[in-house]
């Protein structure tokens, strides 16, 4: 007897509209996003919506009564336009968050449509090859000796976590099975006080404990002090601790400073430490012939973090972990299971990284590199440095003092005497919506931190920033 014919229900039309309806909505969305982007560029940098009113509005969304997708898309764009700090505004001189490049945005759309599963090379042969190619080329650009391994990660924190896991795996053959008990004493790793402090969370989640992170003094100019590092390692060894990894930062979060990479490499070699360079933001300087010399020494690293979602301006959630120790990386993340369509060590991303299921992140940088080339990306990076120089010149001319000497696109400045203190001044500027800057501490002093992250910042934006800083600084 043949089985009864099966007629499944029609696909849920609100979730899977037909092609005509999709085309209508996609066309509307494309136009609406272009309009929104123009409004964001002209509008205030800071959120203007009343958050308590928004919470009340949101509470009414109890999902009992469906609404149309068209209405919801319009609502979402309207609220986002007034409900966040706008990285797409050229007067956002903020943290390292960029205005995303257009090729990266296109890549995101394509990845959303195909939704490839990048865990396995058998599931996604083309995406996996594209990502591996970008990793190799970026590694080559950094001067790493072939073969370069690595993968895309969700952010610098994940990539830095990967470095610690590699260091732990490399440091003792029993770590993989016994964990840190394999070591003869508590493990320690070293980075400067000016590092990105996510290292603390990384130490915590890796199970080595936050005390494993040793913050080395800086030299008064925001760079790791090699002598202080040597002394700290010696003291730790004498106390029975096990030094494991040295992290140099190439482009510190607060001041855009680059640690002495060659000196750090020498110490790491002499002390037999894993040498990681956290170039989450500053790594973008590799794109520029004019600036890449600032990262001299990065090629000696065992591993490197470079975020594409910072200065390389992809959409959010896109970083790279690069290493010359491919076999070690595979050892750190290997496992085996019968249900995966492929299990090729060193090839399948799920055997090579923290993540299992993963999004096609690398396409964003691949497309940007294809259309701009290293030269175009280099111009994007140099432009940011030139804009920072222009801001510096104008502020110095009106009595501000420069605190950091970075050749990259971060400027830390102290207001002229008689101005409001830094935190109050920044609060006023940000509240005005005219520009966004951050207060931070650099070498023990409160400074105004200005970073160029937008590829389209113009003279008028610089003038507005400088005017706002002087106006809100001077008024008491
Ligand atoms: C030097 C440095 N490392 C790591 C990170 C963390 O990167 P992510 O925010 O992508 O996790 C940052 C973030 O600003 C950073 O500046």
């Amino acid at each position: 007897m043949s089985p009864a014919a099966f007629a499944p229900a029609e696909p849920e039309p609100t979730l899977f509209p037909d092609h005509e309806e999709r085309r209508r909505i996609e066309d509307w969305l494309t136009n609406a996003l272009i309009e929104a982007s123009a409004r964001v560029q002209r509008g205030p940098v800071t959120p203007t919506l009343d958050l308590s009113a928004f919470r009340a509005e949101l509470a009414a969304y109890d999902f009992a009564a469906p609404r149309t997708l068209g209405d919801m898309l319009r609502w979402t764009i309207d609220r986002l336009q007034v409900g966040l700090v706008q990285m797409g505004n050229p007067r956002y001189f903020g943290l390292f968050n960029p205005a995303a490049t257009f090729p990266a945005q296109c890549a995101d759309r394509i990845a959303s449509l195909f939704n490839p599963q990048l865990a396995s090379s058998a599931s996604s042969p083309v995406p996996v090859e594209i990502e591996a190619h970008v990793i190799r080329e970026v590694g080559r650009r950094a001067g790493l000796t072939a073969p370069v391994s690595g993968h895309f990660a969700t952010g610098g924190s994940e990539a830095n976590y990967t470095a610690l896991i590699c260091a732990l795996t490399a440091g003792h053959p029993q770590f993989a099975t016994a964990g840190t008990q394999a070591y003869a004493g508590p493990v320690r790793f070293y980075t400067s006080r000016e590092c990105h402090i996510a290292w603390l969370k990384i130490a915590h989640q890796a199970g080595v404990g936050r005390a494993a992170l040793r913050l080395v003094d800086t030299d008064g100019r925001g760079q790791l002090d090699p002598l202080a590092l040597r002394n700290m390692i010696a003291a730790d060894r004498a106390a029975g601790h096990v030094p494991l990894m040295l992290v140099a930062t190439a482009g510190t979060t607060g001041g855009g400073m680059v640690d002495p990479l060659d000196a750090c490499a020498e110490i790491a070699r002499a002390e037999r430490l894993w040498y990681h360079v956290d170039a989450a933001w500053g790594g973008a300087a590799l794109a520029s012939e004019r600036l890449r010399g600032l990262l001299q020494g990065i090629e000696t690293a065992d591993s490197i973090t470079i975020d594409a979602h910072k200065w390389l301006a992809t959409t959010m959630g896109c970083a790279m972990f690069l290493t010359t120790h491919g076999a070690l990386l595979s050892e750190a993340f290997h496992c085996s299971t019968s249900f995966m369509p492929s299990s090729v060590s060193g090839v399948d991303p799920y055997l090579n990284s923290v993540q299992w299921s993963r999004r096609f992140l690398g396409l964003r940088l691949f497309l940007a590199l294809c259309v701009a080339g290293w030269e175009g990306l280099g111009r994007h990076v140099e432009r940011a440095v030139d804009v920072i120089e222009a801001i510096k010149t104008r502020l110095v001319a009106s009595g501000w003092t420069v605190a950091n000497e970075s050749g990259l696109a971060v400027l830390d400045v102290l207001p002229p005497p008689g101005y409001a203190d830094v935190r109050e001044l920044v609060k006023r500027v940000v509240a005005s919506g005219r520009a966004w800057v951050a207060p931070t501490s650099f070498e023990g002093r409160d400074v105004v931190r200005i970073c160029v992250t937008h590829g389209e910042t113009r003279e008028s934006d610089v003038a507005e920033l400088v005017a706002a800083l002087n106006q809100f600084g001077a008024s008491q």
Side-chain angles (χ1 to χ4, degrees):
M1 210 169 74
S2 56
F6 169 61
E10 286 299 311
E12 168 56 39
T14 54
L15 302 179
F16 302 98
D18 65 29
H19 281 199
E20 268 321 296
E21 178 68 349
R22 283 181 199 215
R23 193 188 312 281
R24 189 183 68 74
I25 293 177
E26 286 253 22
D27 287 349
W28 178 86
L29 186 59
T30 298
N31 283 315
L33 289 177
I34 289 170
E35 299 294 324
S37 159
R39 281 194 300 272
V40 161
Q41 294 213 1
R42 287 193 306 269
V45 191
T46 34
T48 52
L49 101 170
D50 173 347
L51 198 54
S52 48
F54 180 71
R55 287 197 184 113
E57 184 188 18
L58 200 56
Y61 283 70
D62 61 2
F63 314 125
R67 303 163 196 245
T68 68
L69 182 58
D71 284 351
M72 287 316 300
L73 295 177
R74 195 172 290 111
W75 179 87
T76 306
I77 292 172
D78 284 352
R79 296 302 179 275
L80 289 184
Q81 214 178 276
V82 291
L84 52 106
V85 175
Q86 302 293 352
M87 278 93 213
N89 183 307
R91 282 168 282 110
Y92 175 74
F93 295 96
L95 306 180
F96 290 143
N97 315 306
T101 65
F102 189 55
Q105 291 178 338
C106 293
D108 250 0
R109 276 179 82 163
I110 295 171
S112 296
L113 179 89
F114 288 95
N115 201 27
Q117 165 59 283
L118 262 78
S120 141
S121 61
S123 302
S124 302
V126 164
V128 167
E129 287 294 328
I130 288 176
E131 286 203 345
H133 177 70
V134 177
I135 291 292
R136 280 192 300 270
E137 287 304 311
V138 174
R140 207 145 68 105
R141 186 82 186 171
L144 293 180
T145 47
V148 177
S149 296
H151 51 262
F152 277 85
T154 52
S157 301
E158 183 192 323
N160 284 344
Y161 172 75
T162 304
L164 180 55
I165 297 298
C166 285
L168 284 162
T169 307
H172 198 289
Q174 292 306 312
F175 170 75
T177 42
T180 50
Q181 284 175 9
Y183 285 95
V187 299
R188 297 288 180 254
F189 68 102
Y190 304 81
T191 187
S192 94
R193 291 196 178 285
E194 290 284 329
C195 74
H196 191 278
I197 207 61
W199 282 111
L200 267 183
K201 297 203 304 180
I202 289 167
H204 190 145
Q205 77 199 71
V208 296
R210 290 175 178 233
L213 174 64
R214 306 286 270 130
L215 293 174
V216 182
D217 281 344
T218 44
D219 59 359
R221 292 178 302 144
Q223 296 168 302
L224 182 143
D225 177 351
L227 184 60
L229 171 65
R230 279 204 180 87
N231 290 340
M232 198 177 237
I233 294 172
D236 279 351
R237 285 204 198 279
H241 301 160
V242 181
L244 190 74
M245 175 169 83
L246 169 59
V247 180
T249 309
T252 56
T253 317
M257 302 304 295
V258 178
D259 286 338
L261 299 182
D262 282 327
C264 286
E266 204 183 304
I267 295 171
R269 255 195 314 273
E271 299 282 350
R272 296 180 312 287
L273 308 181
W274 183 274
Y275 182 36
H276 180 69
V277 176
D278 178 2
W281 171 71
L286 290 168
S288 155
E289 289 303 328
R290 192 180 102 198
L291 299 168
R292 61 193 293 194
L294 294 171
L295 304 188
Q296 164 65 37
I298 196 171
E299 69 284 354
T300 57
D302 292 301
S303 57
I304 303 175
T305 290
I306 300 178
D307 277 10
H309 70 195
K310 288 190 163 66
W311 206 351
L312 294 173
T314 69
T315 46
M316 274 293 163
C318 189
M320 288 169 281
F321 176 77
L322 311 169
T323 181
T324 47
H325 303 278
L328 195 274
L329 184 63
S330 300
E331 188 189 333
F333 294 101
H334 82 275
C335 49
S336 74
T337 171
S338 57
F339 66 80
M340 288 300 282
S342 55
S343 299
V344 188
S345 183
V347 173
D348 285 322
Y350 82 101
L351 298 176
N352 219 29
S353 63
V354 173
Q355 295 177 47
W356 196 286
S357 292
R358 55 167 58 235
R359 186 176 168 86
F360 189 9
L361 303 176
L363 184 62
R364 306 168 192 182
L365 185 57
F366 176 71
L367 290 185
L369 270 169
C370 285
V371 301
W374 286 114
E375 241 183 285
L377 267 186
R379 282 193 296 270
H380 160 73
V381 169
E382 288 164 15
R383 184 183 192 283
V385 172
D386 295 343
V387 173
I388 272 293
E389 277 303 312
I391 295 169
K392 189 194 289 185
T393 305
R394 282 160 179 71
L395 286 176
V396 168
S398 47
W400 292 67
T401 306
V402 175
N404 66 333
E405 287 165 38
S406 169
L408 302 175
V410 172
L411 176 65
D412 288 343
V413 277
L414 298 140
Y419 271 33
D421 79 58
V422 161
R423 286 181 190 267
E424 177 57 28
L425 190 162
V426 167
K427 205 158 81 187
R428 291 178 192 168
V429 171
V430 168
S432 77
R434 288 167 61 184
W436 202 100
V437 291
T440 194
S441 169
F442 180 75
E443 291 289 6
R445 291 192 292 184
D446 273 355
V447 292
V448 179
R449 178 187 177 283
I450 302 165
C451 177
V452 174
T453 59
H454 200 296
E456 295 168 283
T457 300
R458 297 186 193 284
E459 164 70 28
S460 55
D461 303 309
V462 168
E464 182 72 3
L465 167 70
V466 171
L469 285 169
N470 280 323
Q471 182 189 326
F472 293 109
S475 65
Q476 290 299 327

